[in-house]
């Protein structure tokens, strides 16, 4: 198992997959990592849909313009969030909490030697509508993203985003 810093720096968006299966045990570990994320006032407004059905993955891909890698992915996790269940019933809080769960999921995918990419549903009305229709998501629940998951084919490399000009010590 890689140490935390290795996982953080090795994580990258993976958009090409070998087609090999991802085990249910790994998907379970990934979801547990998502639920370990911090959440304002511990409200946990999130929920997670795990999709492994080939037909459903294809249906999702058809209506999501930048998620065509789902045609080759073995699984997808859709991080959902519900403003009514978030601190102060705030949509912003709901989205922040679910985003943190999403990043934990991406890190867990990397830690397991798998590949994944966050594809956007929120804030695009058409993409949220499509994901909701395919997956039967209730109206009050926001599908934040569709995270494609598979065994990486090996083309995708982490980007070095370190930029010291973005750091302000003590004051801007
Ligand atoms: C909010 C959000 C939306 C994104 N939407 C998409 C998407 O629809 N399709 C896609 O291929 N990648 C998407 N990405 C992945 C980004 O393109 C990727 O994170 C970025 O290029 C940096 O590359 P890295 O993840 O390899 O570090 C999204 C990432 C975020 C955080």
């Amino acid at each position: 198992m890689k140490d935390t810093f290795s996982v953080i720096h090795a994580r990258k968006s993976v958009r090409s997959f070998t087609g090999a299966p991802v085990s249910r045990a790994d998907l379970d570990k990934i979801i547990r990592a998502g639920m370990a994320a911090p959440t304002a006032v511990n409200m946990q407004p999130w929920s997670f849909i795990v999709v492994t059905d080939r037909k459903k993955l294809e249906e999702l891909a058809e209506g999501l313009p930048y998620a065509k890698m789902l045609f080759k992915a073995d699984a997808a996790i859709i991080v959902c969030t519900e403003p009514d269940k978030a601190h102060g019933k705030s949509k912003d809080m709901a989205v922040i909490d679910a985003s943190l769960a999403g990043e934990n999921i991406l890190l867990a995918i990397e830690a397991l030697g798998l590949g994944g990419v966050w594809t956007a549903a929120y804030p695009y009305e058409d993409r949220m509508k499509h994901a909701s229709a395919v997956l039967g998501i209730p109206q009050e629940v926001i599908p934040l993203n569709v995270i494609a998951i598979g065994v990486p084919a090996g083309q995708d490399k982490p980007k070095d985003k370190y930029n010291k000009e973005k750091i302000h010590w003590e004051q801007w």
Side-chain angles (χ1 to χ4, degrees), residues 53-171:
D53 179 69
R54 170 73 16 226
K55 205 165 152 279
K56 275 235 155 67
L57 290 168
E58 287 177 5
E59 273 181 68
L60 282 168
E62 274 154 19
L64 300 171
Y66 301 104
K68 300 306 174 196
M69 76 295 288
L70 284 167
F71 282 115
K72 290 275 168 66
D74 196 63
I77 292 173
I78 295 82
V79 180
C80 299
T81 195
E82 200 171 333
D84 270 359
K85 295 195 172 150
H87 177 52
K89 297 194 186 296
S90 155
K91 183 175 169 181
D92 285 346
M93 283 296 186
V95 169
I96 292 167
D97 285 357
S99 297
L100 292 166
E103 171 67 348
N104 268 18
I105 284 172
L106 295 175
L107 291 172
I109 289 169
E110 179 65 42
L112 290 166
L114 297 169
V117 57
W118 174 312
T119 70
Y122 182 86
Y124 304 100
E125 284 300 334
D126 56 330
R127 300 187 212 177
M128 292 191 284
K129 211 171 144 196
H130 177 72
S132 295
V134 171
L135 301 169
I137 299 170
Q139 217 217 318
E140 65 278 13
V141 175
I142 296 171
L144 185 72
N145 57 21
V146 177
I147 299 177
I149 305 171
V151 174
Q155 286 97 318
D156 306 286
K157 301 279 171 259
K159 301 173 179 70
D160 182 2
K161 305 195 196 80
Y162 180 76
N163 178 353
K164 63 178 183 334
E165 286 168 19
K166 303 259 182 177
I167 307 169
H168 308 278
W169 289 90
E170 316 305 346
Q171 67 169 52

